[in-house]
C-alpha cells in the first residue's frame, strides 16, 4: 500500500520570516504507520518546495498512491481541498483523506464544499489513520 502525504502550498507570510519548517503532522503519522509495517510512504512538501498545481499533479501521477492524505489549518483549507481535487483528477482510485485542526471542527462544511474528500480524520490521527 502506497501512502502519499502532501503539505499544501499555503503561505501565511508572517510566521515564515524564520524560514521553512518540517511539518510535524507528517512525522507523527508516518512514524506510527512505519511501526505498523507500512513503509511505502512518500511526502510531498508543496509548501516548502512551492509546487504549482501542475507540479503536484505530475508528482501524484508518477507515484500512483493508494491513499493521499493532506492537512489544513483554517487559512490553508482551500489549498488543502485543491490538493485532494487534483488527486481525484489524476489518481481517481486513491482514497482521499483530510486531517488537521480545521477539518476536525468544520467537517460538515468541508465535506459539503469539497465532496471529493472521502474521509476526514478528526483529532489526533495516528491510530485512526492506521486503522
Ligand atoms: C507549532 C505551530 C506552528 C509552527 C509550525 C512548526 C512546524 N514544524 O510545523 C509555526 C510557528 C511555523 C506556525 C505557523 C503558523 N500557525 Co501555527 N501552530 C503551531 C501549534 C502550536 C502546534 C501545531 C503542531 O505541529 N502540532 C503537532 C502536530 C503533530 O499536530 P497536528 O498538526 O494537529 O496533527 C495531528 C492531527 O491534527 C492529525 N492530522 C493533522 N493533519 C493530518 C492529515 C491526515 C491525513 C490525518 C489522517 C491526520 C492529520 O494527526 C496529527 C497527529 O495526531 C498549533 C496549536 C496546536 N496546539 O495545535 C498552532 C496553530 C496550528 N497555528 C495556527 C496559525 C493561525 C498559524 C499561522 C497561520 C500564523 C500566521 N498568521 O502566520 C502560521 C501558518 C503557517 C503555514 N504556512 O502553515 C492556528 C490555526 C488556527 C486554525 N483555526 O486553523 C493554531 C491552531 C494556533 C491557534 N490556536 O490559533 N505554527
Amino acid at each position: 500500500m502506497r501512502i502519499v502525504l502532501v503539505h499544501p502550498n499555503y503561505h501565511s507570510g508572517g510566521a515564515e520570516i524564520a524560514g521553512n519548517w518540517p511539518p510535524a503532522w507528517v512525522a507523527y503519522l508516518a512514524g506510527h504507520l512505519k511501526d505498523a509495517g507500512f513503509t511505502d510512504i512518500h511526502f510531498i512538501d508543496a509548501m516548502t518546495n512551492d509546487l504549482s498545481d501542475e507540479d503536484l499533479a505530475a508528482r501524484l501521477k508518477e507515484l500512483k498512491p493508494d491513499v493521499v492524505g493532506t492537512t489544513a489549518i483554517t487559512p490553508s483549507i482551500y489549498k488543502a481541498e485543491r490538493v485532494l481535487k487534483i488527486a481525484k483528477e489524476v489518481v481517481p482510485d486513491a482514497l482521499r483523506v483530510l486531517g488537521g485542526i480545521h477539518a476536525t471542527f468544520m467537517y460538515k462544511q468541508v465535506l459539503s464544499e469539497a465532496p471529493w474528500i472521502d474521509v476526514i480524520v478528526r483529532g489526533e490521527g495516528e491510530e485512526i489513520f492506521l486503522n
Side-chain angles (χ1 to χ4, degrees):
M1 157 128 21
R2 174 163 291 177
I3 299 159
V4 173
L5 301 174
V6 182
H7 196 80
N9 188 9
Y10 163 76
H11 295 270
S12 66
E16 294 178 54
I17 292 168
N20 298 322
W21 64 86
W25 68 277
V26 175
Y28 278 58
L29 295 183
H32 205 74
L33 290 168
K34 283 183 176 173
D35 267 357
F38 293 92
T39 53
D40 193 4
I41 303 171
H42 301 255
F43 174 41
I44 302 176
D45 193 345
M47 176 181 69
T48 299
N49 296 317
D50 201 16
L51 296 189
S52 66
D53 287 357
E54 293 71 28
D55 294 333
L56 177 63
R59 289 283 286 132
L60 288 174
K61 236 183 196 166
E62 183 190 327
L63 285 166
K64 298 188 184 61
D66 300 296
V67 178
V68 179
T70 192
T71 194
I73 56 174
T74 299
S76 67
I77 184 59
Y78 297 124
K79 294 281 186 181
E81 290 177 358
R82 181 87 191 117
V83 165
L84 296 179
K85 183 88 182 284
I86 291 167
K88 186 181 167 74
E89 286 161 11
V90 298
V91 286
D93 294 336
L95 186 75
R96 296 174 291 275
V97 186
L98 175 69
I101 185 81
H102 183 78
T104 291
F105 292 102
M106 301 300 287
Y107 56 96
K108 282 189 186 156
Q109 179 176 314
V110 173
L111 287 172
S112 52
E113 72 193 8
W116 53 88
I117 295 173
D118 295 314
V119 177
I120 284 177
V121 172
R122 302 180 64 203
E124 295 184 5
E126 289 86 341
E127 301 205 351
I128 303 169
F129 197 39
L130 176 61
N131 290 340

